[in-house]
Amino acid sequence: MNTLRVAVLLGALGIAGTARAEEPPGTTDHELLLHGWRSPSIGVEYRRGFLGIHAGAYPTVISRDARGDTETTWFAKAGLTGYFLPLRLTSERASTLFVSVAYLRGLNRDWDDALFLETGFRWAVWKGLDLRLGAGLLLAPGHSPRVNPTPGVSWSFPLPG
């Protein structure tokens, strides 16, 4: 699975080269985010400036059982997110577009290594509350590519310095 790891590294370098637009005045560029649902994972993210690193669990429905009921597949997920084009909407904090690349390790349902590419919008709703809406592409050897909606909710904690 060395090819997948190389692809993740190249994607991360690509994100590092994204626009380095400055955030609007008064917006923190150093924060810890606790994610409660899917985008980017159920987990934690550390962001400084335009780049964040995240880790957590990622659930998705990508199969059905013999009766036709959906089955949730769980992954451990770690990756990088680039945030760009900050703008003010309903909060003193900036909302942004984002792109993300992540390595996934299947925890059940015959999934092993996978790559996840995601893009979307992070809306800074109020104080620390963020809502996300995006779409992701799940790529794994032996499985057909899957496009997943990636809604998310998180709380952001500004960090000093």
Side-chain angles (χ1 to χ4, degrees), residues 31-83:
E31 63 186 349
L32 181 68
L33 298 96
L34 296 180
H35 300 295
W37 188 243
R38 291 192 60 191
S39 179
S41 64
I42 300 169
V44 65
E45 179 175 11
Y46 170 76
R47 183 184 71 87
R48 182 159 195 121
F50 74 96
L51 190 61
I53 183 167
H54 60 86
Y58 180 77
T60 188
V61 175
I62 51 180
S63 61
R64 296 191 178 274
D65 64 16
R67 295 180 307 189
D69 295 332
T70 59
E71 296 178 315
T72 301
T73 301
W74 284 86
F75 295 92
K77 184 177 182 183
L80 296 173
T81 301
Y83 295 93

Side-chain angles (χ1 to χ4, degrees), residues 121-147:
F121 183 73
R122 172 188 167 194
W123 176 28
V125 178
W126 173 77
K127 294 197 178 192
L129 179 64
D130 294 327
L131 298 178
R132 292 180 186 229
L133 185 57
L137 178 62
L138 178 63
L139 302 167
H143 297 278
S144 53
R146 309 250 181 195
V147 175

